[in-house]
Amino acid sequence: MRILPTIAILAGLFVAACGSPDSGSEMGAGNGQTLTIYSSRHYDSDYALYEAFEEETGVTVEVIEADGDLLVERISAAGDRNPADVIITADAGRLWRAEQAGLFAPVSSEILEARVPESMRHPDGLWFAVSTRARIIVYAEERVDAGALTGYASLADPAFRGRVCARSSGNVYNISLLAALIDRWGADAAQQWAQGVAANFAREPLGGDSDQIRAVAAGECDVAIVNHYYFARLAGEEPAVTEGLAIYWPNAEPGVHVNISGMGVSRNAPNPELARQFLEFAVSDRAQRFFAELTNEYPAVASVTYENAVLDELGDFQADPLAATVLGENQAEAQRLFDRAGWQ
Ligand code: FE
């Protein structure tokens, strides 16, 4: 990955203009156009995607990064000064928040509709998944009998008292997981589950997903809930941490909770056509491979093949086919149930 040529701090935002000085000259399609992207993702796959789009079109991509919960505010606050063309965020819950804030314009595209499964895009084309992530269970092989794990439900089993690590319930990954479990089991059972898991905590919720994995490795707890790509990244970059750990796929019907990262065209996009073109490029075979090969996510487009030994090592699983829109709709209730369950 080439170092981005221009990095400016603007109103507290991280702005990176990925100019490709020698790209697009043969195609001449760029015509000096700039595509402005607001993103809450900071992953190598995305930088490769921006650069590849610049190469193919001659367009200049300007990226403004803001952390997940600030993204909506920043796009709204930017108004006409620096309007977004494309909005990118991780997690269906955050896509839903951006949708509720009225930030997206509907997009109709045969390419996007054909390539992105219906359950992973908004029915009116407000957003489309580009990658998926599974929320899995990590455990210490020596201290946990794999047979004791039979799905997410196991984490609430009294057998795991004092042995579970989790991050806070304010985190959108956990909110979306509980949103899925509300759909699966109903609100009462979902709350009981959250209560049972909270009763099993080895310590108060703390840190991010990687911290949960490190805590299991350090013996602070025996099991933890994390997104699969954090485990894959540690297994690839710091194998000493994941040695002695294993992952468990909560395949129990209807399957493993899968979330998405997605993109939409901004309602105020100065270049809506170009923005749609970018979304279509993001679901091309070439771009989809970036997500799997550089960030350890799964491509949203099922037919795409990729090379990633660490991801292959994690094995196959059965994904819950729940529509991503339901994860959004159940956000508020999930947060309420977490509060009632005493999961901080
Ligand atoms: Fe993440």
Side-chain angles (χ1 to χ4, degrees), residues 91-96 99 117-123 127-129 176 179 257-261 320-331:
D91 201 286
R94 292 209 176 106
L95 287 170
W96 184 79
E99 177 193 329
E118 208 174 345
S119 64
M120 297 186 198
R121 51 183 161 88
H122 187 275
W127 44 259
F128 299 83
S176 290
H257 166 59
V258 169
N259 211 316
I260 59 170
S261 278
D320 181 353
L322 184 66
T325 48
V326 177
L327 303 179
E329 287 156 13
N330 288 352
Q331 292 285 300

Short mmCIF file of all heavy atoms in Angstrom, two decimals, residues 91-96 99 117-123 127-129 176 179 257-261 320-331:
data_model
loop_
_atom_site.label_atom_id
_atom_site.label_comp_id
_atom_site.label_asym_id
_atom_site.label_seq_id
_atom_site.Cartn_x
_atom_site.Cartn_y
_atom_site.Cartn_z
N ASP A 91 -21.13 -2.55 10.43
CA ASP A 91 -22.25 -2.96 11.26
C ASP A 91 -23.60 -2.44 10.76
O ASP A 91 -23.78 -1.25 10.50
CB ASP A 91 -22.09 -2.54 12.72
CG ASP A 91 -22.95 -3.39 13.64
OD1 ASP A 91 -24.18 -3.18 13.65
OD2 ASP A 91 -22.41 -4.28 14.30
N ALA A 92 -24.54 -3.38 10.67
CA ALA A 92 -25.90 -3.05 10.23
C ALA A 92 -26.55 -2.02 11.16
O ALA A 92 -27.36 -1.20 10.72
CB ALA A 92 -26.75 -4.32 10.18
N GLY A 93 -26.17 -2.06 12.44
CA GLY A 93 -26.73 -1.10 13.39
C GLY A 93 -26.34 0.32 13.04
O GLY A 93 -27.15 1.25 13.14
N ARG A 94 -25.13 0.50 12.59
CA ARG A 94 -24.68 1.85 12.22
C ARG A 94 -25.26 2.28 10.88
O ARG A 94 -25.55 3.45 10.67
CB ARG A 94 -23.16 1.91 12.20
CG ARG A 94 -22.57 1.77 13.59
CD ARG A 94 -21.25 2.49 13.70
NE ARG A 94 -20.75 2.41 15.05
CZ ARG A 94 -19.73 1.64 15.43
NH1 ARG A 94 -19.12 0.88 14.54
NH2 ARG A 94 -19.33 1.64 16.67
N LEU A 95 -25.42 1.34 9.97
CA LEU A 95 -26.09 1.68 8.70
C LEU A 95 -27.50 2.16 9.00
O LEU A 95 -28.00 3.11 8.40
CB LEU A 95 -26.15 0.45 7.78
CG LEU A 95 -24.83 0.03 7.14
CD1 LEU A 95 -24.98 -1.33 6.47
CD2 LEU A 95 -24.38 1.06 6.11
N TRP A 96 -28.12 1.47 9.95
CA TRP A 96 -29.48 1.81 10.31
C TRP A 96 -29.55 3.22 10.92
O TRP A 96 -30.46 3.99 10.61
CB TRP A 96 -30.01 0.76 11.29
CG TRP A 96 -31.44 0.94 11.67
CD1 TRP A 96 -32.54 0.59 10.94
CD2 TRP A 96 -31.93 1.52 12.87
NE1 TRP A 96 -33.68 0.91 11.62
CE2 TRP A 96 -33.34 1.48 12.80
CE3 TRP A 96 -31.32 2.06 14.01
CZ2 TRP A 96 -34.14 1.97 13.83
CZ3 TRP A 96 -32.12 2.55 15.02
CH2 TRP A 96 -33.53 2.50 14.94
N GLU A 99 -29.25 5.64 8.20
CA GLU A 99 -30.52 5.62 7.46
C GLU A 99 -31.58 6.44 8.19
O GLU A 99 -32.28 7.25 7.59
CB GLU A 99 -30.95 4.15 7.33
CG GLU A 99 -32.27 3.90 6.65
CD GLU A 99 -32.72 2.44 6.86
OE1 GLU A 99 -31.85 1.53 6.98
OE2 GLU A 99 -33.94 2.22 6.93
N PRO A 117 -26.62 -10.22 -1.91
CA PRO A 117 -27.83 -10.96 -1.54
C PRO A 117 -28.89 -10.02 -0.95
O PRO A 117 -28.56 -9.04 -0.29
CB PRO A 117 -27.35 -11.95 -0.48
CG PRO A 117 -25.88 -12.03 -0.64
CD PRO A 117 -25.42 -10.73 -1.23
N GLU A 118 -30.13 -10.37 -1.19
CA GLU A 118 -31.24 -9.52 -0.76
C GLU A 118 -31.22 -9.24 0.74
O GLU A 118 -31.55 -8.14 1.17
CB GLU A 118 -32.55 -10.21 -1.14
CG GLU A 118 -33.67 -9.25 -1.38
CD GLU A 118 -34.93 -9.94 -1.90
OE1 GLU A 118 -34.84 -11.12 -2.34
OE2 GLU A 118 -35.99 -9.29 -1.85
N SER A 119 -30.81 -10.24 1.53
CA SER A 119 -30.80 -10.07 2.99
C SER A 119 -29.71 -9.09 3.44
O SER A 119 -29.68 -8.68 4.59
CB SER A 119 -30.57 -11.41 3.67
OG SER A 119 -29.28 -11.91 3.35
N MET A 120 -28.81 -8.72 2.52
CA MET A 120 -27.68 -7.85 2.88
C MET A 120 -27.75 -6.50 2.22
O MET A 120 -26.72 -5.82 2.08
CB MET A 120 -26.36 -8.53 2.50
CG MET A 120 -26.11 -9.80 3.25
SD MET A 120 -24.47 -10.41 2.85
CE MET A 120 -24.62 -12.11 3.36
N ARG A 121 -28.93 -6.11 1.78
CA ARG A 121 -29.06 -4.75 1.24
C ARG A 121 -30.42 -4.19 1.64
O ARG A 121 -31.35 -4.94 1.94
CB ARG A 121 -28.88 -4.73 -0.28
CG ARG A 121 -29.71 -5.72 -1.05
CD ARG A 121 -29.38 -5.64 -2.55
NE ARG A 121 -29.80 -6.84 -3.26
CZ ARG A 121 -30.99 -7.02 -3.80
NH1 ARG A 121 -31.92 -6.10 -3.67
NH2 ARG A 121 -31.28 -8.15 -4.44
N HIS A 122 -30.48 -2.86 1.63
CA HIS A 122 -31.74 -2.19 1.98
C HIS A 122 -32.76 -2.41 0.85
O HIS A 122 -32.39 -2.34 -0.32
CB HIS A 122 -31.47 -0.70 2.19
CG HIS A 122 -32.64 0.03 2.72
ND1 HIS A 122 -33.63 0.53 1.90
CD2 HIS A 122 -33.02 0.33 3.99
CE1 HIS A 122 -34.56 1.11 2.65
NE2 HIS A 122 -34.21 1.01 3.92
N PRO A 123 -34.01 -2.67 1.20
CA PRO A 123 -35.01 -2.94 0.15
C PRO A 123 -35.17 -1.81 -0.87
O PRO A 123 -35.51 -2.07 -2.03
CB PRO A 123 -36.32 -3.17 0.93
CG PRO A 123 -36.04 -2.74 2.34
CD PRO A 123 -34.58 -2.84 2.55
N TRP A 127 -28.62 1.20 1.16
CA TRP A 127 -27.26 0.71 1.45
C TRP A 127 -27.12 -0.72 0.99
O TRP A 127 -28.11 -1.44 0.82
CB TRP A 127 -26.90 0.85 2.93
CG TRP A 127 -27.97 0.43 3.91
CD1 TRP A 127 -28.82 1.24 4.61
CD2 TRP A 127 -28.31 -0.92 4.30
NE1 TRP A 127 -29.65 0.50 5.39
CE2 TRP A 127 -29.37 -0.83 5.23
CE3 TRP A 127 -27.84 -2.19 3.97
CZ2 TRP A 127 -29.95 -1.96 5.82
CZ3 TRP A 127 -28.41 -3.31 4.55
CH2 TRP A 127 -29.46 -3.18 5.47
N PHE A 128 -25.87 -1.11 0.78
CA PHE A 128 -25.54 -2.44 0.28
C PHE A 128 -24.35 -2.98 1.07
O PHE A 128 -23.39 -2.24 1.32
CB PHE A 128 -25.14 -2.38 -1.20
CG PHE A 128 -26.23 -1.85 -2.10
CD1 PHE A 128 -26.42 -0.47 -2.23
CD2 PHE A 128 -27.07 -2.71 -2.78
CE1 PHE A 128 -27.43 0.03 -3.05
CE2 PHE A 128 -28.08 -2.22 -3.60
CZ PHE A 128 -28.26 -0.85 -3.73
N ALA A 129 -24.40 -4.26 1.43
CA ALA A 129 -23.25 -4.86 2.11
C ALA A 129 -22.10 -5.02 1.14
O ALA A 129 -22.30 -5.29 -0.05
CB ALA A 129 -23.62 -6.24 2.67
N SER A 176 -26.06 -5.61 18.00
CA SER A 176 -26.58 -6.32 16.83
C SER A 176 -26.71 -7.81 17.09
O SER A 176 -27.64 -8.45 16.60
CB SER A 176 -25.68 -6.06 15.61
OG SER A 176 -25.83 -4.72 15.18
N ALA A 179 -29.80 -8.09 19.01
CA ALA A 179 -30.90 -7.81 18.08
C ALA A 179 -31.27 -9.07 17.30
O ALA A 179 -32.45 -9.37 17.08
CB ALA A 179 -30.52 -6.68 17.12
N HIS A 257 -24.44 -15.69 14.02
CA HIS A 257 -24.82 -14.29 13.77
C HIS A 257 -23.77 -13.64 12.86
O HIS A 257 -22.59 -13.61 13.19
CB HIS A 257 -24.91 -13.52 15.09
CG HIS A 257 -24.95 -12.03 14.93
ND1 HIS A 257 -25.93 -11.39 14.20
CD2 HIS A 257 -24.13 -11.06 15.39
CE1 HIS A 257 -25.69 -10.08 14.22
NE2 HIS A 257 -24.61 -9.86 14.94
N VAL A 258 -24.26 -13.14 11.74
CA VAL A 258 -23.38 -12.51 10.76
C VAL A 258 -23.81 -11.07 10.57
O VAL A 258 -25.00 -10.79 10.42
CB VAL A 258 -23.45 -13.26 9.40
CG1 VAL A 258 -22.76 -12.47 8.32
CG2 VAL A 258 -22.81 -14.64 9.55
N ASN A 259 -22.85 -10.18 10.64
CA ASN A 259 -23.13 -8.77 10.45
C ASN A 259 -22.46 -8.31 9.15
O ASN A 259 -21.74 -9.08 8.53
CB ASN A 259 -22.63 -7.98 11.64
CG ASN A 259 -23.47 -6.75 11.89
OD1 ASN A 259 -23.82 -6.01 10.97
ND2 ASN A 259 -23.79 -6.50 13.14
N ILE A 260 -22.73 -7.09 8.78
CA ILE A 260 -22.20 -6.60 7.50
C ILE A 260 -21.47 -5.27 7.68
O ILE A 260 -21.69 -4.55 8.65
CB ILE A 260 -23.32 -6.39 6.46
CG1 ILE A 260 -24.36 -5.37 6.98
CG2 ILE A 260 -24.00 -7.70 6.11
CD1 ILE A 260 -25.36 -4.93 5.92
N SER A 261 -20.60 -4.97 6.73
CA SER A 261 -20.16 -3.60 6.52
C SER A 261 -20.83 -3.17 5.23
O SER A 261 -20.98 -3.99 4.32
CB SER A 261 -18.65 -3.51 6.37
OG SER A 261 -18.04 -3.51 7.64
N ASP A 320 -26.47 -17.43 9.94
CA ASP A 320 -27.87 -17.04 10.16
C ASP A 320 -28.30 -16.17 8.97
O ASP A 320 -27.69 -15.14 8.72
CB ASP A 320 -27.96 -16.26 11.48
CG ASP A 320 -29.39 -15.84 11.81
OD1 ASP A 320 -30.29 -16.04 10.97
OD2 ASP A 320 -29.59 -15.31 12.92
N PRO A 321 -29.35 -16.58 8.25
CA PRO A 321 -29.75 -15.81 7.07
C PRO A 321 -30.59 -14.56 7.37
O PRO A 321 -31.08 -13.91 6.46
CB PRO A 321 -30.60 -16.83 6.28
CG PRO A 321 -31.16 -17.74 7.30
CD PRO A 321 -30.18 -17.79 8.44
N LEU A 322 -30.69 -14.20 8.64
CA LEU A 322 -31.51 -13.05 9.06
C LEU A 322 -31.17 -11.80 8.25
O LEU A 322 -30.00 -11.48 8.05
CB LEU A 322 -31.27 -12.79 10.55
CG LEU A 322 -32.11 -11.69 11.20
CD1 LEU A 322 -33.58 -12.07 11.22
CD2 LEU A 322 -31.61 -11.43 12.63
N ALA A 323 -32.21 -11.08 7.82
CA ALA A 323 -31.99 -9.85 7.05
C ALA A 323 -31.32 -8.79 7.92
O ALA A 323 -31.68 -8.60 9.09
CB ALA A 323 -33.33 -9.32 6.53
N ALA A 324 -30.35 -8.09 7.34
CA ALA A 324 -29.61 -7.06 8.08
C ALA A 324 -30.54 -5.94 8.55
O ALA A 324 -30.26 -5.28 9.55
CB ALA A 324 -28.49 -6.51 7.21
N THR A 325 -31.64 -5.73 7.86
CA THR A 325 -32.59 -4.68 8.28
C THR A 325 -33.15 -4.96 9.67
O THR A 325 -33.41 -4.03 10.44
CB THR A 325 -33.77 -4.57 7.29
OG1 THR A 325 -34.28 -5.87 7.05
CG2 THR A 325 -33.35 -3.95 5.98
N VAL A 326 -33.32 -6.25 10.01
CA VAL A 326 -33.87 -6.62 11.32
C VAL A 326 -32.88 -6.22 12.43
O VAL A 326 -33.29 -5.80 13.51
CB VAL A 326 -34.18 -8.13 11.38
CG1 VAL A 326 -34.68 -8.53 12.76
CG2 VAL A 326 -35.19 -8.51 10.30
N LEU A 327 -31.60 -6.34 12.15
CA LEU A 327 -30.60 -5.94 13.14
C LEU A 327 -30.76 -4.46 13.47
O LEU A 327 -30.61 -4.05 14.62
CB LEU A 327 -29.18 -6.21 12.62
CG LEU A 327 -28.88 -7.66 12.22
CD1 LEU A 327 -27.45 -7.77 11.69
CD2 LEU A 327 -29.11 -8.61 13.38
N GLY A 328 -31.08 -3.67 12.47
CA GLY A 328 -31.31 -2.25 12.68
C GLY A 328 -32.57 -2.00 13.47
O GLY A 328 -32.57 -1.28 14.47
N GLU A 329 -33.65 -2.64 13.04
CA GLU A 329 -34.94 -2.41 13.69
C GLU A 329 -34.92 -2.78 15.17
O GLU A 329 -35.62 -2.18 15.98
CB GLU A 329 -36.04 -3.23 12.98
CG GLU A 329 -36.41 -2.66 11.62
CD GLU A 329 -37.02 -3.73 10.70
OE1 GLU A 329 -37.38 -4.82 11.19
OE2 GLU A 329 -37.12 -3.45 9.49
N ASN A 330 -34.14 -3.81 15.54
CA ASN A 330 -34.12 -4.28 16.93
C ASN A 330 -33.07 -3.61 17.81
O ASN A 330 -32.90 -3.98 18.97
CB ASN A 330 -33.91 -5.81 16.97
CG ASN A 330 -35.14 -6.58 16.51
OD1 ASN A 330 -36.20 -5.99 16.30
ND2 ASN A 330 -35.00 -7.89 16.35
N GLN A 331 -32.35 -2.60 17.27
CA GLN A 331 -31.27 -1.95 18.03
C GLN A 331 -31.75 -1.40 19.38
O GLN A 331 -31.15 -1.67 20.42
CB GLN A 331 -30.66 -0.78 17.24
CG GLN A 331 -29.89 -1.16 16.01
CD GLN A 331 -28.52 -1.74 16.31
OE1 GLN A 331 -27.68 -1.10 16.92
NE2 GLN A 331 -28.31 -2.96 15.87
#
